[in-house]
Amino acid sequence: FDWHHVSRSDHTTFWLLGDSDRAVLLDGLERLRLLGCSSVTTKQLWVHSVDAPGNVPIDSVDTILDELDRSGVEVACPSFRHPE
């Protein structure tokens, strides 16, 4: 099986899994939204999917994700854009 990218996306997608303090996670989500990210939540599992478009500074997103990680929020990044 061989595949390739048709075009590279400038979006970053990540998941936040919340068994930690929900107030910390909700604050982080609000800060990400203020940067220009969008999110959707599965309330049954308390899992959040976040999209960071290319116009959102990835360094600012990374700072928030680091803070959430240190607070016990699980962060998974299936698609994280990196500067070329």
Side-chain angles (χ1 to χ4, degrees):
F1 182 67
D2 186 30
W3 62 276
H4 66 280
H5 289 99
V6 174
S7 64
R8 184 174 282 238
S9 173
D10 66 345
H11 287 244
T12 293
T13 304
F14 51 92
W15 302 313
L16 303 175
L17 311 164
D19 272 339
S20 62
D21 183 350
R22 287 187 178 193
V24 169
L25 199 152
L26 291 173
D27 178 66
L29 280 172
E30 180 62 23
R31 291 171 57 206
L32 290 164
R33 287 188 200 109
L34 288 172
L35 287 176
C37 297
S38 59
S39 67
V40 64
T41 299
T42 60
K43 294 187 182 193
Q44 300 89 343
L45 302 174
W46 200 243
V47 175
H48 312 269
S49 179
V50 182
D51 174 66
N55 63 333
V56 174
I58 202 64
D59 290 344
S60 299
V61 170
D62 206 26
T63 297
I64 295 170
L65 294 181
D66 284 344
E67 292 170 9
L68 289 171
D69 186 53
R70 284 193 301 272
S71 297
V73 174
E74 298 294 327
V75 178
C77 299
S79 170
F80 201 88
R81 67 183 137 100
H82 298 279
E84 291 293 322

